[in-house]
Amino acid sequence: MALSGARGDGMELRIHESLEELSTDLADYISDLSETTIKERGAFCVAISGGSLVSLMGKLCQAPYLKTIDWAGWHVFWADERAVAKNHVDSNYKLAKDTFLSKIPFVPGHLHSINDSLTVEEAASVYEFVIRKLVKTRVIGASEITDCPKFDLIILGMGHDGHVASLFPNHPILDERSEWVTYIIDSPKPPPERITFTLPVINSSSNVALVVTGSTKADMVHLVIDDVGPECSSVPAKMIHPIDGKLLWFLDNSAASKLNGTAQFS
């Protein structure tokens, strides 16, 4: 690992020499957190997004993780999803399934994807209802601070514009405080219809991992982490602040290349 350390603002950075190194560290992190959480609660509830981070999670279906992780305790959710069929090329579910989920011995029914036969508004409502039932039965924890579900881990990527999940800059959805899952019909990136966890749900998670790679995102990583520029406060990635949890950034050297003061971390 090139660099690792905590900052004064509560976030931890892990900066890696290569994608291979990052992928291995991410798998180790998820594996360790899974083991600890299942011992404590009997379940590990993880929500993932789409994009390049899915391929970086691919090591989970390889040795040693495939045989050492207690997959029976896992419940997998999607922090956001496109309102398309599950076999559509744009589906986050399809991407994750093709990459690694289909190779892992999950318990049937523990993969909680959206109902793709519904309208996007209906899909968001039903997905929230599913989550509420699992909170009621204590499969998913509940935040004592926000009354939101307290996922054990939410893993997110970040777009070039600083969006996370399907929370885009300057979109009214960023102000949503009453719903756990909501929907949009005007995404600035295709496809336009999506469902997404809201900021209160993401920020109620026990752990949030932001996985960002590539030099094309270096400027936005610098903007968000180094807190520079007047527009910084409106960037969704900057709004990720777990209330009673941990925020961990997994970066490669290219994405971290414009960060200030990285030599100060230990």
Side-chain angles (χ1 to χ4, degrees):
M1 186 181 299
L3 204 59
S4 176
R7 290 168 53 112
D9 50 11
M11 72 174 68
E12 180 182 346
L13 304 183
R14 295 189 181 184
I15 304 171
H16 302 83
E17 297 282 1
S18 66
L19 294 181
E20 176 70 17
E21 183 183 79
L22 188 157
S23 183
T24 299
D25 186 41
L26 180 62
D28 287 344
Y29 165 76
I30 295 171
S31 176
D32 291 345
L33 187 60
S34 166
E35 180 179 6
T36 300
T37 305
I38 291 174
K39 285 180 179 178
E40 291 176 352
R41 298 201 315 105
F44 181 59
C45 295
V46 55
I48 62 178
S49 190
S52 59
L53 79 84
V54 174
S55 63
L56 293 169
M57 295 175 64
K59 281 191 177 292
L60 290 172
C61 64
Q62 302 174 12
Y65 314 103
L66 185 60
K67 293 186 177 180
T68 58
I69 290 177
D70 181 4
W71 299 111
W74 275 51
H75 287 260
V76 179
F77 303 80
W78 276 262
D80 72 315
E81 179 58 287
R82 290 84 177 270
V84 295
K86 285 185 173 65
N87 60 357
H88 193 281
V89 66
D90 289 331
S91 168
N92 285 341
Y93 170 85
K94 174 178 170 55
L95 176 62
K97 183 178 180 181
D98 290 350
T99 303
F100 69 97
L101 293 183
S102 62
K103 306 167 187 175
I104 290 172
F106 289 108
V107 173
H110 282 198
L111 297 183
H112 305 279
S113 58
I114 72 168
N115 187 333
D116 60 352
S117 68
L118 304 176
T119 67
V120 65
E121 182 177 5
E122 292 169 339
S125 178
V126 169
Y127 204 53
E128 178 168 326
F129 180 72
V130 169
I131 293 172
R132 286 187 179 276
K133 286 199 300 182
L134 291 170
V135 170
K136 186 175 182 179
T137 57
R138 299 185 181 181
V139 173
I140 305 173
S143 169
E144 297 179 357
I145 299 173
T146 66
D147 291 328
C148 285
K150 192 175 182 69
F151 285 91
D152 300 306
L153 174 63
I154 297 180
I155 309 173
L156 303 170
M158 183 189 74
H160 298 88
D161 58 355
H163 83 267
V164 292
S166 284
L167 302 171
F168 293 93
N170 303 311
H171 196 285
I173 202 173
L174 295 172
D175 298 322
E176 177 59 56
R177 294 294 181 267
S178 60
E179 304 293 339
W180 291 357
V181 181
T182 190
Y183 69 96
I184 60 174
I185 58 174
D186 57 352
S187 167
K189 289 184 62 179
E193 295 189 343
R194 301 163 177 239
I195 72 156
T196 184
F197 284 2
T198 57
L199 276 172
V201 169
I202 295 174
N203 284 330
S204 295
S205 181
S206 293
N207 300 277
V208 177
L210 270 162
V211 183
V212 186
T213 62
S215 59
T216 59
K217 296 182 181 179
D219 284 328
M220 185 55 67
V221 168
H222 169 53
L223 179 75
V224 172
I225 294 180
D226 289 329
D227 197 14
V228 296
E231 71 275 28
C232 182
S233 60
S234 65
V235 176
K238 184 64 178 177
M239 300 177 185
I240 305 303
H241 298 288
I243 298 169
D244 185 28
K246 299 177 181 179
L247 173 60
L248 179 57
W249 287 77
F250 288 84
L251 305 169
D252 67 351
N253 275 343
S254 295
S257 61
K258 297 188 178 180
L259 287 176
N260 294 335
T262 52
Q264 299 173 12
F265 303 143
S266 59

